[in-house]
Amino acid sequence: MARPPILSLALPSETGRVLSIQSHTVQGYVGNKAAVFPLQLLGYDVDPINSVQFSNHTGYPTFRGQVLNGQQLCDLIEGLAANDLLYYTHLLTGYIGSVSFLDTVLQVVDRLRTVNPGLIYVCDPVMGDEGKLYVPPDLVSVYREKVIPVASMLTPNQFEVELLTGLRITSESDGLKACNILHAAGPSKVVITSLNIEGKLLLIGSHQKLEGQPPHQFKIIIPKIPAYFTGTGDLMTALLLGWSNKYPDNLEKASELAVSSLQALLHRTLEDYKSVGFDPQSSSLEIRLIQSQDDIRNPEVKFKAEEYT
């Protein structure tokens, strides 16, 4: 009998086919659990590879599970290759816990680009937050020297962009300068997903449409919510991938849609915790992803980009 075609290849979606290499939890929404479903809602075929499989996120008192090593990642890629399944339009990566695994991911980038030279690599360089590093220090130089040059889009937070550029960011102009440093090293699109500047929370986006030309840069002011949520960075990067591919020349619009989706979801999460009598400021909160799917698919844009001139 003839082998049936792979319909995601034979009849590709208008948006794309994403390979997402991130963490996975049985319970809760972080890593792939926070990224795959939103991308599917936005019309993407998504194939997840789970870099870890844990019972729950590591903020709980205990967790159990397994960690995928570089050889096991290679085995999965070889299995896909043996069946001619390595055509992807996008690669998405999030938390990676070891240098050896990150080196293997770089091999995957090369392999995917031999199949599709136009592959878009969206990298969330998850290394830490608010001055705290939660990956081995050796990873920083690998991201800086090897990953940034091959990434198409980078989505660091403030702490991560400081690690990658060596620039202390205390003003908006520092944030723009950091974006320019990253453009010079590789990616045409950079979104610093959260910056605390003089008491304000900002997103700064930068798109260098032509090499050698100044980038188009903008900010979105984001209201602070008095709570801590898990999985928001993973979700934000997935939304930026999803919307920036639909609007490839309009990173401002893509960011407005992504921020508006995320803010609606966070407010729903906050209200749902309050409705069961839980103080949202007493612990990290699991995001209400399934309940917010309408806000993911059709967000009402409430947060507008302001262009820098």
Side-chain angles (χ1 to χ4, degrees):
M1 292 178 62
R3 187 173 69 182
I6 305 300
L7 291 181
S8 63
L9 294 174
L11 300 172
S13 68
E14 294 180 0
T15 45
R17 187 164 183 253
V18 182
L19 181 64
S20 180
I21 304 175
Q22 299 197 61
S23 58
H24 170 87
T25 57
V26 176
Q27 193 279 331
Y29 295 97
V30 299
N32 270 332
K33 285 281 291 288
V36 173
F37 179 62
L39 284 168
Q40 290 170 331
L41 285 177
L42 293 175
Y44 294 81
D45 286 309
V46 188
D47 292 347
I49 292 179
N50 299 324
S51 57
V52 304
Q53 177 165 265
F54 290 160
S55 54
N56 43 266
H57 72 69
T58 57
Y60 280 85
T62 64
F63 65 94
R64 301 289 170 85
Q66 302 82 38
V67 177
L68 197 73
N69 62 38
Q71 184 55 55
Q72 290 167 328
L73 174 58
C74 282
D75 290 343
L76 292 171
I77 297 299
E78 290 303 326
L80 292 169
N83 292 293
D84 297 323
L85 298 174
L86 269 190
Y87 183 89
Y88 290 96
T89 57
H90 296 77
L91 172 66
L92 172 62
T93 62
Y95 174 78
I96 291 168
S98 72
V99 170
S100 62
F101 195 88
L102 187 53
D103 281 335
T104 306
V105 167
L106 287 162
Q107 295 171 30
V108 172
V109 176
D110 289 342
R111 190 79 177 271
L112 295 181
R113 282 187 171 150
T114 62
V115 179
N116 176 20
L119 175 90
I120 295 169
Y121 175 23
V122 178
C123 173
D124 182 6
V126 180
M127 292 181 287
D129 199 6
E130 297 181 347
K132 182 181 178 182
L133 190 70
Y134 43 68
V135 297
D138 291 353
L139 250 71
V140 177
S141 61
V142 179
Y143 272 113
R144 188 187 296 131
E145 296 165 15
K146 297 181 181 179
V147 177
I148 291 174
V150 299
S152 312
M153 179 192 287
L154 210 62
T155 62
N157 61 31
Q158 182 170 356
F159 177 60
E160 290 158 351
V161 80
E162 288 177 341
L163 289 174
L164 293 172
T165 62
L167 186 67
R168 177 80 173 147
I169 298 176
T170 59
S171 66
E172 292 180 40
S173 62
D174 290 339
L176 299 177
K177 192 182 301 182
C179 290
N180 293 338
I181 291 170
L182 293 172
H183 286 315
S188 61
K189 294 179 180 179
V190 176
V191 179
I192 306 175
T193 54
S194 60
L195 281 163
N196 278 293
I197 303 292
E198 297 175 350
K200 293 186 297 182
L201 184 63
L202 308 172
L203 172 150
I204 286 183
S206 186
H207 185 190
Q208 187 173 43
K209 298 184 180 183
L210 293 172
E211 193 172 345
Q213 296 293 315
H216 189 78
Q217 298 181 312
F218 61 91
K219 68 178 177 181
I220 299 176
I221 298 174
I222 304 169
K224 289 185 176 181
I225 298 176
Y228 177 77
F229 305 86
T230 57
T232 54
D234 307 319
L235 172 58
M236 184 63 180
T237 296
L239 292 171
L240 285 168
L241 185 162
W243 288 115
S244 67
N245 191 57
K246 290 172 182 278
Y247 300 101
D249 294 319
N250 195 339
L251 187 58
E252 310 98 285
K253 183 169 185 176
S255 298
E256 290 172 349
L257 288 159
V259 168
S260 297
S261 279
L262 180 60
Q263 289 296 307
L265 176 147
L266 295 182
H267 281 286
R268 175 173 288 101
T269 300
L270 199 66
E271 292 307 311
D272 284 356
Y273 274 103
K274 288 179 180 178
S275 73
V276 296
F278 185 79
D279 178 4
Q281 296 187 54
S282 64
S283 179
S284 61
L285 308 181
E286 300 268 17
I287 57 175
R288 298 285 275 170
L289 190 69
I290 305 305
Q291 295 75 14
S292 303
Q293 55 189 284
D294 289 342
D295 295 310
I296 293 168
R297 195 185 284 113
N298 296 300
E300 179 185 353
V301 175
K302 294 184 177 180
F303 303 93
K304 300 294 289 184
E306 302 173 39
E307 295 183 26
Y308 290 105
T309 54

